[in-house]
Amino acid sequence: MSRKRVAVLISGRGSNMAALIDAAKDKNYPAEIVLVASNRPDAGGLAAARDAGIAAEAVDHTQFNKDRPAFERALQAVLEAHRIDLICLAGFMRLLSPGFVEQWQNRMLNIHPALLPAFKGLDTHKRALDAGAKVHGATVHFVVPEMDAGPVIMQGAVKVRDDDNEQSLAARVLAVEHRIYPEALRLVAEGRVRIVDGRCLIDGVPAPDASQIEPADPV
Ligand code: GRF
């Protein structure tokens, strides 16, 4: 089976992009990263992508005078020029219109730094700490028109420590992001993810048996 052609859309440093590029270096990985695109020409990840020999293009939203459809047409043209099968949003900080999202329905993934549906939006680590959450984490999901919603493909959790601050918690969650995004993309690219009633059912993954309760029961 041919490898899926993936575009990663970024707005910033692109550490998740780098994790995806790294995973896709393996010829047996079912997807290849053929394009990195950013709405910000100064995004650090663009240079890193070029260094990795990947086409990197800026579609600068400020050049479109707040004309979102025109921005999205330009983005779509770049995606089509590279014959993209799947999109991975990785710190892409522009809202996409319902029309664009529907065009890419079930073919566009996002990573969010929280265990959705908890803590949609920004400042997730601070909000998890303020809420006294005992577990926190990250979610890879299909993109739907509603922000930070859509069928969950994979999640990874970390324990929240009593001495955590925003930075320490963010760092542990980011390490989880770098593990789960390539794995989630693998599942999608291999065609092992079925969406049934808004839930992702994954073929070939054993059912979990260990409970994950924190704090653990006293022994
Ligand atoms: C990540 O925390 C991701 O979950 C969120 O934006 C951040 C992007 O970081 N959507 P990076 O650019 O991948 O390093």
Side-chain angles (χ1 to χ4, degrees):
M1 203 169 67
S2 68
R3 302 171 84 196
K4 299 288 184 204
R5 296 174 62 82
V6 174
V8 184
L9 303 193
I10 63 168
S11 297
R13 66 188 163 179
S15 71
N16 277 290
M17 171 209 79
L20 292 168
I21 289 174
D22 208 42
K25 279 183 189 151
D26 179 352
K27 292 279 169 278
N28 294 317
Y29 189 78
E32 54 182 330
I33 313 302
V34 296
L35 171 70
V36 172
S38 176
N39 63 307
R40 298 184 58 109
D42 58 348
L46 282 179
R50 283 191 197 106
D51 287 348
I54 293 168
E57 300 211 24
V59 183
D60 183 352
H61 69 276
T62 64
Q63 301 297 304
F64 293 88
N65 273 328
K66 298 198 167 35
D67 182 347
R68 194 182 298 272
F71 166 70
E72 291 180 348
R73 277 197 302 275
L75 185 58
Q76 180 69 19
V78 173
L79 296 167
E80 283 175 11
H82 289 271
R83 293 177 289 114
I84 296 303
D85 300 310
L86 296 168
I87 297 175
C88 289
L89 304 182
F92 184 69
M93 301 304 281
R94 296 301 290 171
L95 285 179
L96 295 165
S97 70
F100 185 90
V101 171
E102 272 151 27
Q103 246 178 311
W104 288 94
Q105 193 181 21
N106 302 344
R107 296 187 298 145
M108 180 156 58
L109 289 62
N110 181 45
I111 187 152
H112 181 72
L115 294 171
L116 291 174
F119 308 121
K120 298 178 178 186
L122 299 174
D123 296 327
T124 53
H125 309 307
K126 179 174 187 318
R127 287 158 58 213
L129 285 170
D130 289 350
K134 293 291 186 203
V135 288
H136 182 45
T139 303
V140 181
H141 63 95
F142 284 111
V143 177
V144 295
E146 187 190 333
M147 192 187 70
D148 297 333
V152 170
I153 304 163
M154 190 174 276
Q155 294 185 305
V158 302
K159 295 179 182 182
V160 180
R161 297 178 186 154
D162 290 350
D163 61 354
D164 261 329
N165 57 34
E166 217 179 315
Q167 288 69 35
S168 63
L169 185 55
R172 289 207 309 293
V173 172
L174 193 62
V176 167
E177 293 182 38
H178 297 163
R179 285 171 53 197
I180 65 173
Y181 212 170
E183 281 311 307
L185 176 60
R186 174 200 296 279
L187 293 173
V188 173
E190 286 177 345
R192 290 166 59 194
V193 181
R194 268 183 311 138
I195 304 176
V196 179
D197 295 335
R199 297 168 65 203
C200 289
L201 307 185
I202 318 283
D203 292 332
V205 174
D209 48 13
S211 70
Q212 297 272 351
I213 296 174
E214 178 64 25
D217 284 336
V219 278

